[in-house]
Amino acid sequence: VSARRTRGAALAVALAATLVGCGGDGTAVEPTTIRLVTYDSFPSEDTPLNEALAEFTADTGLDVQIVRAGDTGTMVTKAVLAAGNPEGDVMWGVDNTFLSAATDGGIFDGTPALVDEGDVCVNYDVAWFTEQGLEPPATFDDLLDPALRGQLVVQNPSTSSPGLAFLLGTIAEYGEDGWQDYWAALRDNDVEVVDSWDTAYYDRFSGSGGGDRPLVVSYGTSPPAEVVFAAEPLDSAPTGVAVDTCFRQQEFAGVLRGTPAPEGAVRLLEFLQGERFQRELPLTLFVFPTNDDVVLPEVFARYAVRPDISRTIDTVLIAEQRAAWQDEWTQIVLR
Amino acid sequence: VNRLPRQVVVALAVVPVAALLLLYAWPLATLVARVVGPGTIADTLTAPGVAATIWFTLWQAVFSTVLTLLVGLPVTWLLARWRVRGRRAVLAAVTVPFLLPTVVVGAAFAALLPDSWLGSVRAVLLAHVYFNVAVVVRVVGGLWTRMPHDLTAAAATLGAPPWGTFRRVTLPLLRPALLGAAGVVFVFTFTSFGMIRILGSPARPTLEVEIARRATQLGDVGGAAALSMVQLAALIVVVTVTARSQRRSTPTFAGRSGPQLPLRNRRRTLHVLAAVTFAVALIPIAAMVLRSLRIRNRWSAAGWRALVDPVDDRPGLGIGIDAAASIGLSLRAAAVAAVVATVIGGLAVLAITATQVGGRLLDAGLMLPLATSSVTLGLGMLITFDTPPIDWRAQWWFVPLGQALVAAPFVVRSLLPTMRSIPPDMRAAAATLGASPLRAWREIDLRVICRPLLAAGAFAAAISLGEFGATSVLSRTGDDTLPLAIDALLGRTGDLLRAQGFALATILFVLTALLVSFADPSTGDPLTEDRRARDR
């Protein structure tokens, strides 16, 4: 009996050891594949951005694997739940609306770096407004015009980061106690809500794809994308930006705490901030690079809108209130 | 009495008890600890929309339950009372939906219903009824089929009209089974997740959907835990109440019973009814298969091709879902989960049948995960096993472990009747013939459990394959299982992506149907078979 018991105990210890001791012991050689966790709309192949990453691989011998983690909110929330044992090595694309949640959740090693900027603004279909003989909207209040009833499509701020940015823009404009009335009025003016930017822009907006609504929440940098991707060359952008509806979006990248490849991760993060990578940002992600050495491509500089007035809200306040605002918005607009 | 040696019983019980403590009790305690903090529950319950969510969860569950009973009763009457042509096939067709993954049922109704119905409560209710009619057929049918025919015949002879007989005789006798079925349907619809995710509207979540959203999208783990507690409390109340009222009054019958050959003049009506039931049960699945082959109102296999060779929306912009990989990943996870669940469940059943009081305790303990929603189970595990030295979040077996926790109670449920059907005098006879208790146990109990164990394993694999709640919380980015990939694909717009979603749902349907047919080869008659097992 005692021999059997000893064997059982040994087995239990071995089992416990395998279950517990899987964290790695630090003596291992660093992996040569660096996993870049990012949002869904980051291209995984066939763009100049990916060519730049391929150059990084050629120079350093480090492969870059792109891991898409959903919209920004889902990406950050999952990263907080995985903090210390991350789903990748470097994260790209935490914006200012989620920055505090990310840093409070302890997902980064060190301070994340600012990597790009842009604005979330209402875009309009130029042709529609010309046909109707209407002046395109410029401000939030303009969107309440009965003539624009049923013409605006927005994203759900719980599932889409431009949707959240637009909501924050209205909170910055009307204040913490005033935005509710604005949204109630917007709802009464038959605003349509969809889950993602893709759906809103490509399926519902008339200025780009097959939709029938001439107003959409998108980016100040969406018009150059329309020019670049146009089937036939254009001499003016088919879409315009309502310049007084913008919320400033800044995106950050950082090394994820607990990465098994800290050195390679730091090298990738440096590369993401460098000129070689940053110069591809305007015409792939359609954002303004933060590296001062980058010369903006002509089409981007000409059509991208960087409004004089762009709103912002303190990241700490956003972290405190975001969930409550999202819930309240759902109550007002969807129920 | 022919008792097993104590050490053997302890050895049998140690794995299931340890698993229960480690995977259920500890995570649940962690969740409770998150909520105990000052005001967490009060803050969550008073947050905007939470009361509406609780109210919606409740009324849609009540409504679904009532509708399921209303639809289920005539179907049950047909199948439990009448020997109609193709009865077996109809029985299989109405009982299989309950064994399908909820995302598959959701996908089937998303394919069947007009797009304008998506996001509406009626779509959810329809899917709930379709999914749960099987519960009524099996639970109520099991009793109804044993009700002697002369009982209703006597009432008719005494001049009672058919409706009167049904209301005064049949219904009261069926009451315990009706309550039992209603309890089960309520539990399933109250914790509904997959069908709501695919068919419902984000504006009207159930508690289960809201718990997952708070945990994985808002990052509000405390709020999610608080809602989990509310949900668990409600479920425990419902389960206890229905179990108690069921125990009190299950009738026993004597006399000739079982499905009867209909009289000639009613035969045609009953056969038409059976044929219609059969067709209605198959239509949603057929719609799903057809929709996987339709793109922009034309026939096309592009959805199926895109599973292997993904097509991007725009250059380089895919959707981050590797459909082909999700199949392999799901199969591997389900296999591991099935083995773990079968080992835990099998040992538990042996331990339960070998002891009296301890067995009842273990039995009840293993039912707790069944009464806990799967999102809660997953969330508990995720926030418990996240601190070194026990940090399991990145382990490939973390998802299967969660699935095993969901599947193990089903293994126990499916094995217990077999083990309890071993006549006690068989063990007594073995003892009389001089076998030691251990030997008798080896020769009888172990032999009896062997084949059903394989079937239970297949059943566990089917459950794990379709498991959505716990998996959606535990899984890592890029490691989507089939249900997660289907949910993601059907959540997008665009015909190609939706066709891909329906194609993957079809694959999941076929895999599940194969496993289920292995687990329950339907050679017997589930209604009368239940009866034999119980009568023994």
Side-chain angles (χ1 to χ4, degrees):
Chain A
V1 175
S2 88
R4 196 176 293 168
R5 196 170 287 168
T6 322
R7 206 164 52 189
L11 196 72
V13 169
L15 192 71
T18 28
L19 292 186
V20 170
C22 296
D25 52 10
T27 57
V29 183
E30 270 202 29
T32 55
T33 297
I34 309 299
R35 294 161 302 167
L36 178 61
V37 182
T38 181
Y39 38 65
D40 276 349
S41 49
F42 193 97
S44 63
E45 53 192 6
D46 302 333
T47 73
L49 217 51
N50 307 103
E51 284 164 25
L53 290 174
E55 275 180 36
F56 171 76
T57 301
D59 292 346
T60 60
L62 296 169
D63 278 321
V64 180
Q65 183 196 345
I66 290 165
V67 179
R68 284 151 159 175
D71 63 278
T72 308
T74 306
M75 173 175 84
V76 172
T77 305
K78 289 208 84 173
V80 170
L81 288 170
N85 196 340
E87 297 178 324
D89 308 296
V90 176
M91 180 172 280
W92 170 279
V94 178
D95 70 7
N96 48 325
T97 65
F98 281 98
L99 185 66
S100 282
T103 48
D104 293 350
I107 74 170
F108 290 121
D109 242 350
T111 317
L114 177 65
V115 285
D116 67 61
E117 296 183 299
D119 293 274
V120 169
C121 321
V122 169
N123 282 209
Y124 57 85
D125 175 1
V126 174
W128 189 88
F129 281 92
T130 315
E131 265 166 40
Q132 301 288 317
L134 287 173
E135 195 64 26
T139 65
F140 288 119
D141 276 336
D142 290 350
L143 301 171
L144 300 178
D145 185 346
L148 298 180
R149 184 179 166 76
Q151 307 298 351
L152 172 66
V153 56
V154 303
Q155 300 86 5
N156 185 336
S158 295
T159 55
S160 153
S161 70
L164 177 61
F166 183 64
L167 167 62
L168 294 176
T170 62
I171 295 173
E173 175 76 13
Y174 298 102
E176 281 190 69
D177 299 316
W179 65 270
Q180 296 87 345
D181 291 339
Y182 175 76
W183 276 95
L186 211 51
R187 179 199 60 207
D188 294 341
N189 211 23
D190 198 18
V191 66
E192 182 181 351
V193 179
V194 297
D195 276 355
S196 71
W197 177 85
D198 287 34
T199 307
Y201 197 78
Y202 291 117
D203 293 346
R204 303 300 305 125
F205 179 47
S206 62
S208 178
D212 53 14
R213 294 205 170 214
L215 292 167
V216 66
V217 169
S218 188
Y219 298 92
T221 46
S222 297
E226 289 303 321
V227 177
V228 170
F229 290 125
E232 283 163 35
L234 301 174
D235 50 15
S236 69
T239 59
V241 173
V243 286
D244 201 4
T245 61
C246 299
F247 184 83
R248 177 61 49 85
Q249 212 174 20
Q250 296 179 310
E251 294 192 329
F252 296 81
V255 172
L256 290 168
R257 185 169 62 86
T259 163
E263 283 171 32
V266 168
R267 289 182 77 176
L268 179 59
L269 182 62
E270 280 166 5
F271 180 76
L272 296 176
Q273 301 170 69
E275 194 271 343
R276 174 67 192 94
F277 185 81
Q278 290 262 321
R279 74 172 184 237
E280 308 295 358
L281 289 175
L283 295 185
T284 47
L285 287 181
F286 290 92
V287 287
F288 286 93
T290 49
N291 186 312
D292 293 337
D293 298 337
V294 173
V295 180
L296 291 178
E298 203 247 318
V299 61
F300 186 85
R302 187 159 154 214
Y303 296 111
V305 172
R306 200 168 209 180
D308 302 329
I309 321 167
S310 192
R311 288 156 194 82
T312 189
I313 295 180
D314 179 45
T315 57
V316 177
L317 181 64
I318 296 175
E320 275 171 20
Q321 293 297 321
R322 193 187 61 243
W325 285 337
Q326 286 168 330
D327 279 347
E328 210 176 342
W329 179 91
T330 307
Q331 287 306 301
I332 296 166
V333 181
L334 295 182
R335 292 220 165 118
Chain B
V1 189
N2 199 18
R3 282 271 171 82
L4 274 181
R6 207 185 165 75
Q7 307 93 286
V8 177
V9 176
V10 170
L12 288 172
V14 68
V15 170
V17 169
L20 194 63
L21 291 177
L22 177 72
L23 300 179
Y24 182 75
W26 186 14
L28 198 70
T30 315
L31 277 175
V32 173
R34 277 290 176 103
V35 178
V36 170
T40 313
I41 282 213
D43 281 357
T44 305
L45 291 185
T46 53
V50 169
T53 300
I54 295 174
W55 173 237
F56 173 68
T57 310
L58 189 67
W59 78 251
Q60 66 79 26
V62 170
F63 218 60
S64 299
T65 309
V66 171
L67 280 178
T68 307
L69 287 175
L70 286 179
V71 174
L73 271 182
V75 177
T76 312
W77 170 77
L78 179 73
L79 295 170
R81 301 302 281 176
W82 303 107
R83 223 154 65 213
V84 287
R85 206 174 300 138
R87 182 172 161 279
R88 280 293 154 67
V90 182
L91 199 53
V94 296
T95 45
V96 160
F98 185 67
L99 302 172
L100 294 179
T102 53
V103 285
V104 169
V105 175
F109 275 82
L112 178 70
L113 300 174
D115 285 353
S116 59
W117 281 47
L118 299 183
S120 70
V121 183
R122 54 196 167 165
V124 170
L125 292 179
L126 275 180
H128 278 170
V129 170
Y130 178 77
F131 184 76
N132 288 302
V133 157
V135 175
V136 181
V137 171
R138 289 201 83 138
V139 176
V140 180
L143 187 64
W144 209 344
T145 198
R146 285 186 291 146
M147 195 184 291
H149 293 284
D150 37 11
L151 210 63
T152 40
T157 318
L158 292 171
W163 171 245
T165 312
F166 178 74
R167 213 164 49 94
R168 300 261 178 80
V169 180
T170 313
L171 218 48
L173 285 170
L174 291 180
R175 219 183 80 104
L178 282 172
L179 267 174
V184 174
V185 175
F186 181 87
V187 167
F188 272 96
T189 50
F190 192 75
T191 57
S192 187
F193 184 56
M195 287 180 268
I196 308 262
R197 280 290 294 261
I198 291 182
L199 297 170
S201 139
R204 289 194 135 167
T206 52
L207 273 173
E208 187 79 337
V209 172
E210 186 62 11
I211 294 167
R213 187 179 78 99
R214 278 180 189 273
T216 64
Q217 277 182 337
L218 297 187
D220 174 17
V221 174
L227 291 182
S228 282
M229 294 304 118
V230 171
Q231 191 194 39
L232 186 59
L235 289 174
I236 287 174
V237 169
V238 172
V239 169
T240 324
V241 167
T242 50
R244 186 167 296 167
S245 57
Q246 234 183 322
R247 253 203 310 278
R248 232 184 291 147
S249 57
T250 300
T252 45
F253 294 119
R256 236 171 53 80
S257 60
Q260 206 176 30
L261 207 62
L263 292 176
R264 193 173 295 266
N265 59 349
R266 292 176 79 181
R267 213 169 281 172
R268 178 186 288 260
T269 324
L270 291 181
H271 283 155
V272 169
L273 258 175
V276 169
T277 310
F278 185 73
V280 169
L282 293 190
I283 284 173
I285 301 294
M288 175 178 79
V289 178
L290 292 182
R291 279 289 292 272
S292 76
L293 293 163
R294 299 285 285 180
I295 287 173
R296 283 181 213 92
N297 294 320
R298 299 171 69 171
W299 295 105
S300 160
W304 287 84
R305 271 199 308 275
L307 292 183
V308 210
D309 187 13
V311 183
D312 293 346
D313 279 0
R314 277 176 296 152
L317 278 189
I319 47 163
I321 296 166
D322 189 341
S326 73
I327 300 173
L329 206 90
S330 285
L331 287 174
R332 187 183 70 174
V336 174
V339 170
V340 175
T342 313
V343 168
I344 294 175
L347 288 171
V349 167
L350 290 172
I352 289 169
T353 44
T355 59
Q356 299 292 314
V357 180
R360 270 205 296 279
L361 266 177
L362 184 58
D363 188 10
L366 278 163
M367 285 310 102
L368 283 172
L370 199 63
T372 312
S373 81
S374 54
V375 168
T376 303
L377 295 178
L379 181 62
M381 284 177 66
L382 186 69
I383 64 170
T384 303
F385 306 120
D386 67 345
T387 320
I390 301 187
D391 183 356
W392 293 346
R393 289 169 298 174
Q395 303 301 334
W396 64 268
W397 42 260
F398 199 34
V399 164
L401 205 62
Q403 295 175 341
L405 178 64
V406 174
F410 288 94
V411 172
V412 174
R413 284 297 94 180
S414 77
L415 288 176
L416 262 183
T418 317
M419 295 309 288
R420 292 206 164 126
S421 70
I422 299 176
D425 42 357
M426 214 157 136
R427 293 197 191 96
T432 320
L433 292 171
S436 70
L438 195 61
R439 170 111 195 270
W441 178 77
R442 224 165 42 213
E443 297 288 333
I444 301 169
D445 292 48
L446 275 192
R447 284 252 169 102
V448 169
I449 203 175
C450 224
R451 250 193 61 82
L453 204 59
L454 276 180
F459 190 36
I463 290 170
S464 309
L465 202 58
E467 210 292 317
F468 186 36
T471 309
S472 68
V473 179
L474 293 178
S475 96
R476 303 282 276 192
T477 299
D479 288 344
D480 296 314
T481 61
L482 278 168
L484 297 185
I486 293 167
D487 174 58
L489 285 165
L490 292 181
R492 309 288 290 239
T493 45
D495 274 10
L496 184 62
L497 292 179
R498 290 183 72 78
Q500 279 186 64
F502 291 126
L504 265 195
T506 303
I507 291 174
L508 181 56
F509 165 74
V510 171
L511 291 173
T512 310
L514 284 176
L515 283 169
V516 167
S517 66
F518 180 77
D520 178 21
S522 298
T523 44
D525 184 323
L527 294 186
T528 46
E529 219 173 49
D530 284 355
R531 166 186 159 224
R532 252 183 284 128
R534 224 173 301 152
D535 286 354
R536 241 180 240 166

